[in-house]
Amino acid sequence: MANFFPRWTNILPFKIAICAGALGAGAVAAFTWYGTPKTQAVGYQPSQPIPFSHKIHADQLGLDCRYCHSFVDVSGHSNVPTSNTCWNCHQHVQQDSPKLQPLRNRMDVTLNHPDFGKPVEWVRVHKAPDYVYFNHSAHVNRGVSCVSCHGRVDQMEVVYQDQNLSMGWCLECHREPEKHLRPLEEVFNLKYDPEEYLAKKVDGVSNAERLGVDSAEDLGLKLKDMWRIQPRESCATCHH
């Protein structure tokens, strides 16, 4: 009887199996990568109702983070500025800017706008899951800067999420907190450089000499010891 199938079809099932396996492995790898917090959250940069530039306010003007985020060092939760906080300056500054019209609508009673008295609906950028508790004041009052979690916001025209804020990322800091600790007076200095800090002299004595350290790594360990920082790694630390 004649052979209806050419000889190469004998290995066709093996080829199909190899291709199917490769496709399956690729699908698993893609899901594993794109399903992580890093790809879902890092870089998230929503548009805001008022185009607020942190680079102008925090960098060029040198505003302290706590002017707008006034609860960050006294509360478990930070806060976004109220319309009144913005109006303190902008009733006098950039009065005719069209970008600030939403603010004027809410704050200028003479406009008789229907939005008068309503809050600015800022779009939240950073958000921990509901089952996670993070205390801002506990961190900034022990030398962890805004930069560690939020990046160099003073260089951002539009704020975006700089870190993935995953559980593994948090645990890395809890295991080696000395890498993120600063002197308390430098917590809100977004341009802080540990080497410059150690070299700075007060009354002829450098901070390195005063603290008895030689490097940024030694400084972190010194601060960890001074403040008796012992971050916990148990589930109940954040999930309670």
Side-chain angles (χ1 to χ4, degrees):
M1 180 181 294
N3 188 357
F4 291 100
F5 300 98
R7 184 171 296 179
W8 61 265
T9 58
N10 292 335
I11 60 172
L12 184 60
F14 297 101
K15 292 182 177 180
I16 294 175
I18 291 173
C19 291
L23 287 173
V28 171
F31 180 81
T32 301
W33 170 249
Y34 288 106
T36 61
K38 181 175 182 179
T39 57
Q40 290 181 350
V42 172
Y44 175 56
Q45 189 180 53
S47 298
Q48 300 292 348
I50 299 176
F52 180 89
S53 169
H54 274 75
K55 183 171 178 59
I56 290 176
H57 291 79
D59 184 30
Q60 295 181 24
L61 300 179
L63 287 183
D64 190 293
C65 305
R66 291 164 291 184
Y67 181 75
C68 295
H69 307 288
S70 52
F71 297 167
V72 69
D73 58 341
V74 296
S75 170
H77 298 279
S78 184
N79 62 296
V80 293
T82 63
S83 299
N84 191 66
T85 300
C86 304
W87 193 241
N88 286 339
C89 293
H90 284 295
Q91 61 181 310
H92 308 294
V93 179
Q94 295 289 324
Q95 296 176 331
D96 299 322
S97 173
K99 296 179 181 180
L100 296 173
Q101 190 60 46
L103 177 63
R104 289 192 289 271
N105 294 341
R106 289 164 170 78
M107 296 301 298
D108 191 343
V109 67
T110 63
L111 296 179
N112 196 29
H113 195 277
D115 286 341
F116 178 76
K118 295 181 180 180
V120 176
E121 297 180 354
W122 301 108
V123 180
R124 189 167 185 169
V125 179
H126 304 83
K127 188 181 189 312
D130 293 339
Y131 51 82
V132 175
Y133 178 68
F134 177 85
N135 189 310
H136 274 82
S137 63
H139 289 77
V140 299
N141 289 324
R142 281 298 178 267
V144 179
S145 173
C146 316
V147 173
S148 292
C149 299
H150 300 294
R152 288 293 304 273
V153 293
D154 59 319
Q155 299 301 310
M156 300 180 188
E157 284 290 346
V158 180
V159 168
Y160 59 86
Q161 185 162 329
D162 184 71
Q163 300 292 328
N164 63 55
L165 309 185
S166 67
M167 184 174 72
W169 176 82
C170 294
L171 284 172
E172 286 179 2
C173 184
H174 274 225
R175 288 165 181 155
E176 296 181 299
E178 61 274 10
K179 293 183 177 181
H180 297 276
L181 299 179
R182 304 180 178 191
L184 294 184
E185 66 272 20
E186 299 292 337
V187 167
F188 298 101
N189 176 13
L190 305 183
K191 300 178 182 179
Y192 168 77
D193 183 294
E195 300 298 339
E196 290 182 4
Y197 176 82
L198 291 174
K200 183 179 179 181
K201 292 186 177 182
V202 179
D203 297 328
V205 180
S206 69
N207 285 326
E209 295 173 300
R210 178 173 58 84
L211 294 170
V213 297
D214 297 319
S215 65
E217 182 179 356
D218 291 342
L219 175 60
L221 292 170
K222 179 77 173 183
L223 294 172
K224 178 182 177 181
D225 182 62
M226 286 174 58
W227 288 105
R228 299 180 182 177
I229 296 175
Q230 297 177 321
R232 295 183 297 173
E233 299 178 33
S234 64
C235 302
T237 302
C238 302
H239 307 289
H240 58 80

